[in-house]
Amino acid sequence: MTENDVPEGAVRRRGGGETAHDTTQTFGHDSDLSFVPFGADLTEVEQSAIAALPSGSALLLVRSGALAGARYLLDTGVTTVGRHPEADIFFDDVTVSRRHAEVIRTGTVFEVVDQRSLNGTYVNGERVDRSELRNGYEIRVGKFRLNFFASPADLAAAGA
């Protein structure tokens, strides 16, 4: 192998004329995509964070993956999700596309929109191109499972 040969699936760092390429990997088994309904196992800290959400915002809680326990505030019109270092929600894992999905807010309604990712975006176990998010819904991005929680103020106003 010469110094210019790159093994399949390897990534070389940019610089010195070398190029990097996307290496998103697909899941190996359908069992990786199983849907396990969300249980009421929120910690006291998570419950407090949800209770403190202002109107027009929501929270994503990472339930599994390397970042389990992380919380992401959704309080802008568009939140990007992916493996690109500039993504608003950065998941550094080969099962996540560089530009995997976006969460779009319109008023107090949130939707997840897949960005033609290799592994797809799942809501409650179903692959979606676009889906409205409701309180407690599970979103799957690569190996990461997240739960969506809307502001309690918005839920009360909607009568939910």
Side-chain angles (χ1 to χ4, degrees), residues 26-37:
T26 58
F27 283 108
H29 304 286
D30 288 337
S31 63
D32 291 335
L33 301 175
S34 63
F35 171 61
V36 179

Side-chain angles (χ1 to χ4, degrees), residues 19-30:
T19 58
H21 56 302
D22 197 356
T23 58
T24 303
Q25 294 180 356
T26 58
F27 283 108
H29 304 286
D30 288 337

Side-chain angles (χ1 to χ4, degrees), residues 28-48:
H29 304 286
D30 288 337
S31 63
D32 291 335
L33 301 175
S34 63
F35 171 61
V36 179
F38 172 71
D41 56 345
L42 292 172
T43 67
E44 197 171 306
V45 172
E46 291 169 337
Q47 290 174 11
S48 296

Side-chain angles (χ1 to χ4, degrees), residues 4-122:
N4 289 330
D5 291 336
V6 179
E8 185 177 347
V11 177
R12 298 181 89 179
R13 298 211 184 272
R14 292 176 195 226
E18 298 172 351
T19 58
H21 56 302
D22 197 356
T23 58
T24 303
Q25 294 180 356
T26 58
F27 283 108
H29 304 286
D30 288 337
S31 63
D32 291 335
L33 301 175
S34 63
F35 171 61
V36 179
F38 172 71
D41 56 345
L42 292 172
T43 67
E44 197 171 306
V45 172
E46 291 169 337
Q47 290 174 11
S48 296
I50 293 166
L53 289 171
S55 180
S57 67
L59 194 65
L60 285 177
L61 299 177
V62 181
R63 308 310 269 167
S64 68
L67 298 172
R71 298 185 304 245
Y72 296 97
L73 178 64
L74 304 174
D75 63 351
T76 60
V78 177
T79 303
T80 58
V81 181
R83 201 181 64 220
H84 192 280
E86 293 178 11
D88 298 317
I89 299 176
F90 173 63
F91 291 140
D92 189 16
D93 187 87
V94 294
T95 63
V96 177
S97 294
R98 291 176 59 76
R99 289 173 177 79
H100 199 101
E102 291 180 344
V103 178
I104 299 173
R105 179 186 72 183
T106 307
T108 59
V109 176
F110 289 83
E111 290 182 298
V112 65
V113 180
D114 185 74
Q115 298 296 300
R116 297 184 293 185
S117 64
L118 182 62
N119 286 318
T121 301
Y122 292 77

